[in-house]
Amino acid sequence: MKKKVGLALGGGGARGLAHVGVLKVLSEEQIPIDFIAGTSMGSIIGAMYAQNPDPAILIDRLESFLFSHDYDSLGLKYIVPKTNSNPSFLSQLVQVVSQRIVVNIAQSRQGVIKTERLSEAVSKLLDKGNIEDTRIPFACTATDLNTGQTVLFREGDIQRAVTISSSIPGFLSPHKWQGMLLTDGGVTAPVPVKEARQMGADIVIGVGVEANHIEPLEDPHVIEIISRVDLVRGKILSKNQLSAADIRLHPQINEAHWSELLRYKEFVNAGIIETQKKLPEIHDLIKKKKSLFRRKNIL
């Protein structure tokens, strides 16, 4: 019997495309992945790979989507800020609302982007089916706004679950489901290490893709202060959850906004570099865990 390896793929919008690079290297090194837990963009990439565990297929499908009309219809090009000095979701939401939406319209809507557009995008990236039928056991997170609890989807419609997990608060409306009001899993589980262990993983490789660098604030106004608080809170929570992983990967991605998906090659490469750097540590830990497991069985 071997130790089970779980992969916890964190949320971070476009930066989450670094997960593709991570999966590519792990596949080339023939490191087995027994479970995948994903949050937000981590849930999209994780679900794609869980359905078809082949990096080449994943990259081809991703590129086909990014250069299609379906991607253009998301309207992300209108969200990318002129400057990336503050990548906070809240900060960018404030900018979009103040610059592009009349205040009274913003007060009557739950999101800037129509949920149907995200659902359509997810349907182009994922095959139809249920979570429990993926080739690699998969789960994704969401956050219940009514209780503040993390919800882990381990069964049911995979496209719907991933759409909910990827619904960035403010930009996309929350989802009513079984008495809950669900939004992006990154609110409470930015790096789902604990959830990967719940699935049965003995070893967890955690991948955090939050921004590596924060620009100093200069004479900030109230909104900027609130936005920075949201950003700092998210970074601390991500760091704490990532620290619980046996192997911690944090690709070096600076000055990147969550909506810049067309920079995917840059992000994928960052994932490749980080994973290659940690390969000796990954191989050593897997060997050590196997050795300890055999010893316990003999005793």
Side-chain angles (χ1 to χ4, degrees):
M1 295 179 66
K2 69 181 184 70
K3 285 292 185 178
K4 301 290 187 180
V5 178
L7 198 56
L9 304 180
R15 296 189 299 273
L17 296 176
H19 297 318
V20 177
V22 173
L23 289 164
K24 185 175 186 297
V25 174
L26 294 179
S27 176
E28 291 171 349
E29 292 291 317
Q30 298 183 351
I31 294 172
I33 301 300
D34 300 292
F35 304 100
I36 299 176
T39 290
S40 200
M41 181 59 77
S43 74
I44 295 175
I45 301 301
M48 291 175 70
Y49 193 77
Q51 287 185 332
N52 296 289
D54 185 329
I57 293 176
L58 194 163
I59 293 172
D60 285 345
R61 192 163 186 174
L62 183 63
E63 287 183 334
S64 295
F65 169 72
L66 290 176
F67 295 99
S68 70
H69 173 72
D70 297 295
Y71 172 75
D72 289 338
S73 68
L74 280 173
L76 294 184
K77 62 183 178 182
Y78 300 110
I79 293 176
V80 177
K82 295 180 180 179
T83 174
N84 293 316
S85 60
N86 187 342
S88 164
F89 289 161
L90 178 57
S91 174
Q92 301 306 332
L93 176 62
V94 169
Q95 290 183 32
V96 170
V97 171
S98 63
Q99 295 173 5
R100 302 182 183 280
I101 302 176
V102 178
V103 174
N104 63 353
I105 294 178
Q107 291 176 339
S108 65
R109 294 174 59 171
Q110 295 182 333
V112 175
I113 300 173
K114 292 182 178 180
T115 301
E116 292 77 11
R117 292 182 179 177
L118 176 60
S119 298
E120 290 171 3
V122 169
S123 71
K124 301 298 181 182
L125 294 168
L126 296 179
D127 299 329
K128 291 183 178 179
N130 291 327
I131 295 175
E132 59 268 31
D133 296 328
T134 55
R135 292 169 63 183
I136 297 176
F138 170 77
C140 61
T141 67
T143 299
D144 180 11
L145 292 176
N146 291 332
T147 64
Q149 297 296 311
T150 299
V151 176
L152 187 64
F153 287 103
R154 297 187 64 176
E155 59 182 22
D157 188 316
I158 192 168
Q159 291 183 355
R160 181 181 184 187
V162 168
T163 297
I164 293 173
S165 179
S166 309
S167 295
I168 299 172
F171 284 97
L172 289 144
S173 301
H175 303 254
K176 294 180 179 180
W177 187 75
Q178 295 187 1
M180 296 180 285
L181 191 61
L182 301 179
T183 191
D184 195 297
V187 175
T188 53
V191 188
V193 174
K194 182 180 73 173
E195 288 71 21
R197 295 198 193 282
Q198 288 176 359
M199 295 175 72
D202 302 300
I203 301 169
V204 176
I205 300 173
V207 189
V209 291
E210 72 277 3
N212 300 95
H213 176 70
I214 303 178
E215 289 290 333
L217 290 174
E218 296 182 8
D219 193 25
H221 53 64
V222 173
I223 294 297
E224 289 175 330
I225 294 172
I226 296 173
S227 300
R228 179 52 58 92
V229 169
D230 175 66
L231 175 63
V232 171
R233 177 207 59 78
K235 284 181 68 67
I236 291 174
L237 182 57
S238 294
K239 183 178 180 180
N240 288 342
Q241 293 186 352
L242 184 61
S243 69
D246 299 289
I247 301 291
R248 295 172 287 280
L249 305 181
H250 192 182
Q252 292 299 305
I253 303 171
N254 291 317
E255 301 300 328
H257 183 253
W258 67 267
S259 63
E260 295 183 279
L261 297 177
L262 293 181
R263 292 172 59 186
Y264 71 97
K265 288 185 178 179
E266 175 186 341
F267 304 143
V268 171
N269 189 55
I272 290 173
I273 293 172
E274 176 70 0
T275 311
Q276 288 176 335
K277 184 173 69 176
K278 294 292 183 70
L279 277 177
E281 185 180 346
I282 294 171
H283 283 301
D284 287 345
L285 181 62
I286 291 176
K287 289 179 182 178
K288 186 181 298 182
K289 289 283 187 178
K290 285 181 178 178
S291 177
L292 288 172
F293 189 65
R294 291 195 200 99
R295 198 174 304 151
K296 288 180 180 179
N297 280 338
I298 293 172
L299 294 176

